Amino acid sequence: MKKMLFVWSVALAACGAEPPVPNTFEEMVPMPDGVKLYTYGVRPPAGVKCPIVVVRTPYVPEKPVDLAAFAKGQRDKFARGYAYLMQHCRGCGLSEGDWIPYESERADGLALLAWVRKLPWYNGEIFLDGGSYLTSVHWSYLDTNPPDVKGACLAIQEVDRYNVAYRNGFFKAGLHGGWFIKGYKKKNHALQRNTSVTFSDFPLLDFSKRYWGEAVPALDNKLAHPRRDDPFWRSREPGSGADYRRAFLDSTMPILLRTAFYDIYTEGLNDMWRETPSARRANCALLIDAYDHGGKLSKEMKGTRGEFPGGTRHDEGVTSVDWFDYCRTGRPCANAAPAHVRYYALWENRWLDADELKDGPRRIDMPLGTGTRAWTYDPKRPLPVFPGSGGICFGGMRLQPPPDFRDDVVSYVLPPVTETIDVRGRMRARLTVTSDCEDTCFYVRVSVQKDDRKWYLLRDDITSLCADGRDYVPGTEKEVSFRFADHAFRLEKGDRLRVDVASGNSQFAPHGNVKGLQAAVREPKVAHNAVRAEASFLTLFH
C-alpha cells in the first residue's frame, strides 16, 4: 500500500495532475498534567506508514480549523510521501491551559513525540519544521536527541535566549517585550491588562505587576538579569532558557538552519554555527538570504517580495521538504550544502559558499570626521524612532530619515567610497565619548546611500559606558565599542556611509543614566553626552 501511494503520487505529478487531497484527523492530545492540546493534520490511507512532519504553533485564532482548506494546503507534502501534523501550543487556539511563552514547550513537545510514536501510520521517522517561535518549541527538547527525529528545518530562531531578550544589557522592549505582552495568558480574558503601562516607565522591574496585576517570573526574572554572564541564564529558573542552549550541540540529526541578513537572529544563528564543532556541522547547513524576519523587504523598498534595490531577484530555492528528502535519501539539496554556509551578498547579487561567515582579511578604519558634537539625553522624553533594525530587533531594512533628524541624534556622513568593497562579517565602531553621568547609553546606526540618493539601513548596535564592567568618571573621555551583526554586501565607487549616534532607540527600554541595575532605577537623570569625531571610527572588513 505504501509503495502504491508513492507511485500514484509520482505518476500524478508527472502528468501535471493536482496532488490528491489527503485524509485529515484531529484530536485533543492529553499532556502529562492533564491539559489537552488541539492536534490535527493529514495522514495516509489506512494501513500505510510514512514519515511524519511535526509543527507546533501559538499563532492561531480561537476558532475551529477549516480542515478541508488545511488539507489542500498540504497536498504537495502529501504527494512527496509525508504525513503532516500540527499542534496548537498550550493556551493557544483550541488548546487548553495558559500560554506562558517558552515555559511549557519542552514537556509538551516531548509528550507530543511520545503520542506520535503510537500513531498507526508512524514509520519510525519524524521530521521537525518551523520558523521563529515554531522553531523554538523544537529547540526546547532537542538536547535529548530523540533517535527517531531524522531531520529538521529550523528557521529564524537561535538557542541563546539571552539574545532574544537583550542586546548588551539593554532590554529589547520592541522585540521580546511587545511580543510577550501579546502572548502571555492570551486566552485568559479575565486577566487584568493595563495597556497604559509601557516598558519606558520607571522602574522596569514593576512592569508585570502594573500591567497584569501579578508577578510573572518568566518576564520578571529576565528584567532582573541583564548581563549575559549572569548564572541565571544557565539556571532552571523561569525565563532562563537553559533547556535550549545545547540543543544544536547535543543533537545529531541533520538540521537546516535558516536566517536572513535582516532577521532578528542573524548574529545568534551565525554564532551557533561558529561555535559548533565541524563534526556536528557535517550533516547540517546554514542558509542566509537577504530578507527580514517576515521573509520580505520593507514596502518602502523598490519592487516587491524577492526583489532587491536595483531590481535584482533571487530565490533561496529550497523548501523544508527538499531538506527532509535529503535526510532520507542523501540526494543533494539545492542551495543547502552540508557543512557549509550559503549566503546572498546584497548589491553583489549572488550566492556565496563558505565553511562559516568570517570577517574579511582586509580591515578599513574610517574616521567619523572632526570636532566634538553634543546632545542632551532625557530618558523620560520619547526615544528616537529609527525605522527598521539592522539584525537585532524587528523591522528589517528600511529607508532612513535625513541626517540629524532630531536634536538628540548626531549624524556623520562619510566621504564617498573610492573603490568597490565587498564587505564581509561583522563591522565595528569605536566612539570616543564623554558624559556628565556615571553611566549612560550610546546607540549607533550605519546606513548606506546608493546612486538613488536614498539612505538604506545596514546595521545598528547599542551599549553603555559601563558595559565593560569598569566604572566611569563623569567628564572624562572613554572609548566605547560596538560589534554589529554579520552581513555581506557590496559598496561601489561613489556610495556613501552614514553613522547616526544617539542615546537610545525606541526598540529598547531607556537607560536611566544611573550606574547599576537599570530595571531597578526609579529616578532617572538627564545626561549631557558628546562624541569626539576624529577619535571615533567605523571599521569594515572585506
Side-chain angles (χ1 to χ4, degrees):
M1 177 71 78
K2 177 180 177 182
K3 183 176 180 181
M4 289 176 60
L5 173 65
F6 286 119
V7 170
W8 179 43
S9 299
V10 171
L12 285 171
C15 69
E18 290 245 333
V21 177
N23 299 315
T24 62
F25 69 93
E26 59 182 336
E27 187 169 337
M28 296 297 292
V29 176
M31 297 293 102
D33 62 356
V35 172
K36 296 179 180 179
L37 305 188
Y38 180 64
T39 307
Y40 60 102
V42 296
R43 60 174 178 79
V48 175
K49 296 181 183 292
C50 65
I52 301 172
V53 178
V54 172
V55 178
R56 302 186 68 245
T57 178
Y59 301 124
V60 282
E62 295 181 57
K63 64 180 183 180
V65 173
D66 184 339
L67 291 176
F70 175 81
K72 289 181 180 179
Q74 310 310 320
R75 285 183 300 186
D76 290 342
K77 299 180 183 69
F78 183 73
R80 299 272 285 269
Y82 296 87
Y84 190 84
L85 180 154
M86 181 169 285
Q87 183 177 77
H88 292 181
C89 290
R90 176 182 296 249
C92 302
L94 301 184
S95 288
E96 298 174 350
D98 282 326
W99 188 40
I100 302 175
Y102 295 105
E103 295 309 302
S104 298
E105 308 305 356
R106 180 182 179 88
D108 291 348
L110 289 171
L112 176 61
L113 294 187
W115 182 81
V116 167
R117 294 178 183 118
K118 298 177 183 177
L119 292 171
W121 57 88
Y122 165 74
N123 77 336
E125 297 176 278
I126 296 174
F127 293 90
L128 308 177
D129 200 2
S132 194
Y133 193 83
L134 282 66
T135 281
S136 198
V137 298
H138 298 313
W139 283 137
S140 68
Y141 60 77
L142 277 187
D143 63 316
T144 66
N145 197 28
D148 54 352
V149 174
K150 303 300 184 181
C153 184
L154 302 179
I156 53 177
Q157 177 68 279
E158 58 174 295
V159 297
D160 189 345
R161 291 263 303 284
Y162 177 86
N163 292 337
V164 176
Y166 280 99
R167 179 69 176 182
N168 298 329
F170 286 83
F171 181 67
K172 294 181 178 180
L175 193 163
H176 186 69
W179 174 84
F180 193 97
I181 286 174
K182 292 178 182 177
Y184 178 72
K185 295 185 178 180
K186 61 181 179 178
K187 289 180 65 173
N188 184 345
H189 303 298
L191 182 65
Q192 167 187 311
R193 290 175 174 84
N194 183 354
T195 57
S196 66
V197 175
T198 75
F199 288 106
S200 294
D201 299 336
F202 292 90
L204 188 57
L205 279 178
D206 289 350
F207 178 87
S208 295
K209 290 184 178 179
R210 291 199 307 266
Y211 191 91
W212 289 289
E214 66 182 31
V216 181
L219 178 62
D220 299 343
N221 287 347
K222 293 188 186 80
L223 298 179
H225 299 94
R227 292 188 63 88
R228 178 186 291 280
D229 57 3
D230 193 306
F232 163 76
W233 296 100
R234 289 169 174 79
S235 74
R236 296 291 177 176
E237 294 295 315
S240 70
D243 291 338
Y244 296 65
R245 293 186 63 86
R246 294 193 59 85
F248 189 41
L249 290 170
D250 290 347
S251 55
T252 59
M253 75 287 295
I255 299 179
L256 173 61
L257 302 171
R258 304 176 75 158
T259 186
F261 281 128
Y262 285 89
D263 178 36
I264 56 183
Y265 303 120
T266 304
E267 185 177 62
L269 276 158
N270 276 283
D271 282 344
M272 280 172 55
W273 186 263
R274 281 187 286 261
E275 293 164 3
T276 301
S278 57
R280 175 66 185 104
R281 287 195 246 173
N283 65 348
C284 299
L286 173 59
L287 184 66
I288 312 172
D289 64 38
Y291 296 126
D292 64 13
H293 191 70
K296 59 184 178 181
L297 293 174
S298 166
K299 65 183 180 180
E300 297 176 273
M301 303 295 285
K302 291 181 178 180
T304 60
R305 177 183 171 127
E307 189 170 283
F308 295 111
T312 299
R313 299 185 64 85
H314 93 282
D315 183 356
E316 65 267 24
V318 58
T319 68
S320 57
V321 180
D322 293 334
W323 181 255
F324 301 154
D325 283 349
Y326 156 74
C327 297
R328 303 189 76 216
T329 68
R331 186 169 54 247
C333 185
N335 227 14
H340 285 79
V341 176
R342 174 160 283 194
Y343 61 92
Y344 190 86
L346 189 58
W347 293 300
E348 194 174 345
N349 300 325
R350 63 177 180 138
W351 287 99
L352 296 165
D353 291 286
D355 58 347
E356 61 185 56
L357 185 53
K358 302 175 181 177
D359 293 344
R362 181 184 169 196
R363 173 177 177 146
I364 303 175
D365 290 317
M366 301 178 171
L368 298 193
T370 59
T372 297
R373 296 185 63 184
W375 66 96
T376 299
Y377 165 47
D378 181 354
K380 291 189 175 182
R381 179 188 180 190
L383 294 172
V385 179
F386 289 90
S389 175
I392 54 177
C393 283
F394 285 129
M397 178 188 279
R398 298 283 297 276
L399 296 179
Q400 298 302 292
D404 302 307
F405 69 95
R406 276 182 38 144
D407 59 7
D408 53 359
V409 175
V410 171
S411 301
Y412 299 93
V413 178
L414 278 56
V417 173
T418 59
E419 61 177 322
T420 297
I421 302 172
D422 290 329
V423 179
R424 297 289 183 269
R426 289 184 263 191
M427 298 185 293
R428 296 180 181 136
R430 306 189 311 278
L431 301 181
T432 298
V433 303
T434 56
S435 178
D436 60 354
C437 289
E438 59 184 352
D439 196 10
T440 190
C441 170
F442 290 94
Y443 172 80
V444 171
R445 169 166 290 222
V446 183
S447 305
V448 62
Q449 187 182 72
K450 309 297 284 186
D451 56 9
D452 60 4
R453 317 311 294 171
K454 297 178 181 178
W455 289 106
Y456 296 99
L457 171 63
L458 290 173
R459 283 293 177 257
D460 61 342
D461 202 4
I462 192 167
T463 193
S464 65
L465 277 175
C466 297
D468 59 6
R470 295 181 294 169
D471 289 343
Y472 172 73
V473 178
T476 63
E477 281 195 340
K478 182 172 182 177
E479 185 178 276
V480 292
S481 299
F482 304 83
R483 193 179 190 189
F484 304 101
D486 306 78
H487 210 336
F489 62 92
R490 171 167 287 180
L491 293 173
E492 297 174 296
K493 185 177 180 180
D495 290 351
R496 305 191 76 166
L497 293 169
R498 165 179 147 197
V499 178
D500 294 320
V501 181
S503 289
N505 174 3
S506 59
Q507 291 270 19
F508 302 92
H511 194 285
N513 298 323
V514 177
K515 180 184 172 185
L517 176 62
Q518 291 307 300
V521 173
R522 292 186 175 275
E523 294 297 331
K525 297 180 180 179
V526 174
H528 299 89
N529 300 333
V531 171
R532 185 159 65 90
E534 54 264 73
S536 302
F537 299 87
L538 175 66
T539 299
L540 313 179
F541 298 91
H542 82 114

